[in-house]
C-alpha cells in the first residue's frame, strides 16, 4: 500500500526516465478493506520486505493495462484514489500505471533473461544473472530455447496426469505452486501452511505447451517442513505448495535453465511478445 510516484530507474548502464513506481507508505491512507483480504502478511517496512525495492519482471509493459483504465465493475480495483481516509477504486490511464521499466529503456527493451545455476540441494543463497534484451546483444541470443506465446492473462498451458491446466511462470514465487491434494496425491503441511509435505520426495513430470511447442518438465517435491528445518537455507529446488486449478512455475523452475520473458508488442528474433522461452 502506498502512492504511485515517478522515478528515474538506472540498472547496469540502462536507464528509464519518469517511470511510475509504487512507493510503500503505510501511513499514506487507510488501507481499503478489499486490499486487506488477500490473507498474506503485510510487507510494508524495509525489515518485512527484506529489500529496498522489487523489480517486477513480466510479459506486459504496464501493471494491469486497459482493465485498470476502465471505470465501472470491470475494473479489478488495483488502484485507489484517496482523499484523507476515504478511498475509492480509480481508473488509471495505462501510461500512469506502474510500469515494467525494461520496456522504457531506450534499447535492450524487448524483454529479459533470468539465468540461475542448477541446484541439487537447498542453499542459503543463489547467485544468478538478469540480462536485458532478447536477440539485441551477443549475450542475449535465444539459441535453442523453445518459444511459448501467452494469452492476455499471461498464461499458457500445463498438462499433468492427463489433464490440462492454465499455467504461468513467476520468479517471484518461492516454490512450485500447483493444483491441490486431491489432484496431486500429496498432503499439505500441518505446521507450514501453504506447502506440500509428502511422506517422501515425489518425482513428477508435466508438459508445458502453447499450441505446437511443448516441453516436458521433470521436477520433484519434498516435505517442506523437513526443508525448513535447516534454518540457514532459504533456496529450495523441490519446494512446492497447492494452487487449485493452476500451475505457478515458481523459482525452482528457473534453476539450471535460461528463462526468457518477451514483453508485449515488442519485436524479437522469434516474433513479437508476449511470450516465455526456455
Amino acid at each position: 500500500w502506498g502512492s504511485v510516484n515517478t522515478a528515474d530507474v538506472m540498472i547496469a548502464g540502462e536507464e528509464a526516465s519518469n517511470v511510475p513506481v509504487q512507493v510503500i507508505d503505510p501511513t499514506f491512507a487507510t488501507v481499503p478493506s478489499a486490499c486487506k483480504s488477500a490473507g498474506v502478511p503485510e510487507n510494508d517496512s524495509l525489515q518485512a520486505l527484506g529489500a529496498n525495492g522489487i523489480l517486477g519482471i513480466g510479459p506486459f509493459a504496464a501493471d494491469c493495462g486497459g482493465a485498470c483504465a476502465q471505470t465501472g465493475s470491470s475494473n479489478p480495483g488495483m488502484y485507489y484514489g484517496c482523499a484523507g481516509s476515504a478511498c475509492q477504486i480509480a481508473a488509471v490511464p495505462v501510461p500512469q500505471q506502474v510500469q515494467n521499466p525494461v520496456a522504457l529503456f531506450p534499447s535492450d527493451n524487448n524483454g529479459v533473461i533470468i539465468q540461475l545455476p542448477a541446484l541439487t540441494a537447498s542453499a542459503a543463497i543463489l547467485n544468478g544473472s538478469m540480462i536485458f534484451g532478447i536477440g539485441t546483444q551477443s549475450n542475449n541470443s535465444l539459441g535453442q530455447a523453445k518459444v511459448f506465446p501467452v494469452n492476455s492473462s499471461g498464461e499458457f498451458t500445463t498438462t499433468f496426469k492427463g489433464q490440462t491446466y492454465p499455467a504461468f511462470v513467476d520468479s517471484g514465487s518461492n516454490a512450485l505452486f500447483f493444483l491441490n491434494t486431491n489432484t496431486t496425491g500429496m498432503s499439505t503441511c500441518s505446521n507450514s501452511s501453504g506447502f506440500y509435505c509428502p511422506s517422501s520426495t515425489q518425482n513428477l513430470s508435466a508438459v508445458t505447451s502453447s499450441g505446437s511447442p511443448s516441453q516436458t518438465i521433470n521436477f520433484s517435491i519434498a516435505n517442506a517442513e523437513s526443508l525448513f528445518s535447516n534454518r540457514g537455507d532459504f533456496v529450495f529446488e523441490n519446494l512446492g505448495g497447492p494452487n487449485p486449478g493452476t500451475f505457478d512455475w515458481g523459482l525452482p523452475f528457473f534453476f539450471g535453465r535460461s528463462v526468457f520473458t518477451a514483453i508485449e508488442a515488442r519485436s524479437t528474433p522469434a516474433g513479437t511478445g508476449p511470450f516465455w522461452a526456455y
Side-chain angles (χ1 to χ4, degrees), residues 151-242:
N151 62 21
S152 60
S153 298
E155 296 175 340
F156 59 152
T157 60
T158 292
T159 302
F160 180 75
K161 293 185 176 181
Q163 296 295 317
T164 298
Y165 304 93
F168 58 93
V169 176
D170 179 23
S171 62
S173 297
N174 65 343
L176 303 175
F177 292 105
F178 62 106
L179 309 180
N180 57 22
T181 294
N182 290 338
T183 309
T184 64
M186 294 184 293
S187 59
T188 53
C189 303
S190 299
N191 299 315
S192 298
S193 177
F195 295 98
Y196 284 126
C197 276
S199 57
S200 61
T201 298
Q202 302 295 298
N203 296 314
L204 306 170
S205 68
V207 177
T208 59
S209 59
S210 181
S212 58
S214 65
Q215 186 161 327
T216 298
I217 306 297
N218 297 312
F219 61 102
S220 61
I221 301 298
N223 185 294
E225 291 178 356
S226 296
L227 294 175
F228 296 156
S229 65
N230 188 341
R231 299 293 183 179
D233 287 345
F234 300 95
V235 187
F236 308 99
E237 58 94 20
N238 49 10
L239 181 64

Side-chain angles (χ1 to χ4, degrees), residues 37-254:
S37 60
V40 295
E42 294 182 7
N43 291 322
D44 54 6
S45 69
L46 177 60
Q47 291 73 26
L49 186 63
N52 290 315
I54 296 174
L55 176 62
I57 296 300
F60 302 109
D63 199 1
C64 49
C68 287
Q70 300 175 9
T71 58
S73 59
S74 60
N75 189 307
M78 296 180 66
Y79 289 87
Y80 287 77
C82 298
S85 60
C87 297
Q88 301 291 330
I89 293 175
V92 179
V94 174
Q96 296 176 23
Q97 297 174 18
V98 172
Q99 303 285 310
N100 181 339
V102 177
L104 299 177
F105 290 158
S107 60
D108 305 317
N109 56 16
N110 59 355
V112 302
I113 314 165
I114 294 180
Q115 295 177 333
L116 292 171
L119 188 68
T120 56
S122 59
I125 61 173
L126 190 68
N127 294 316
S129 300
M130 180 170 64
I131 300 170
F132 298 124
I134 297 175
T136 61
Q137 304 287 344
S138 60
N139 68 339
N140 60 20
S141 169
L142 277 158
Q144 300 302 310
K146 290 185 178 181
V147 172
F148 296 85
V150 299
N151 62 21
S152 60
S153 298
E155 296 175 340
F156 59 152
T157 60
T158 292
T159 302
F160 180 75
K161 293 185 176 181
Q163 296 295 317
T164 298
Y165 304 93
F168 58 93
V169 176
D170 179 23
S171 62
S173 297
N174 65 343
L176 303 175
F177 292 105
F178 62 106
L179 309 180
N180 57 22
T181 294
N182 290 338
T183 309
T184 64
M186 294 184 293
S187 59
T188 53
C189 303
S190 299
N191 299 315
S192 298
S193 177
F195 295 98
Y196 284 126
C197 276
S199 57
S200 61
T201 298
Q202 302 295 298
N203 296 314
L204 306 170
S205 68
V207 177
T208 59
S209 59
S210 181
S212 58
S214 65
Q215 186 161 327
T216 298
I217 306 297
N218 297 312
F219 61 102
S220 61
I221 301 298
N223 185 294
E225 291 178 356
S226 296
L227 294 175
F228 296 156
S229 65
N230 188 341
R231 299 293 183 179
D233 287 345
F234 300 95
V235 187
F236 308 99
E237 58 94 20
N238 49 10
L239 181 64
N243 186 17
T246 303
F247 259 82
D248 172 358
W249 291 103
L251 189 61
F253 175 81
F254 288 75

Side-chain angles (χ1 to χ4, degrees), residues 4-46:
V4 175
N5 294 47
T6 58
D8 295 338
V9 178
M10 292 166 280
I11 308 174
E14 306 279 3
E15 180 175 355
S17 300
N18 298 316
V19 181
V21 299
Q22 180 186 7
V23 178
I24 296 176
D25 181 2
T27 67
F28 175 71
T30 301
V31 180
S33 59
C35 295
K36 289 183 175 181
S37 60
V40 295
E42 294 182 7
N43 291 322
D44 54 6
S45 69
L46 177 60

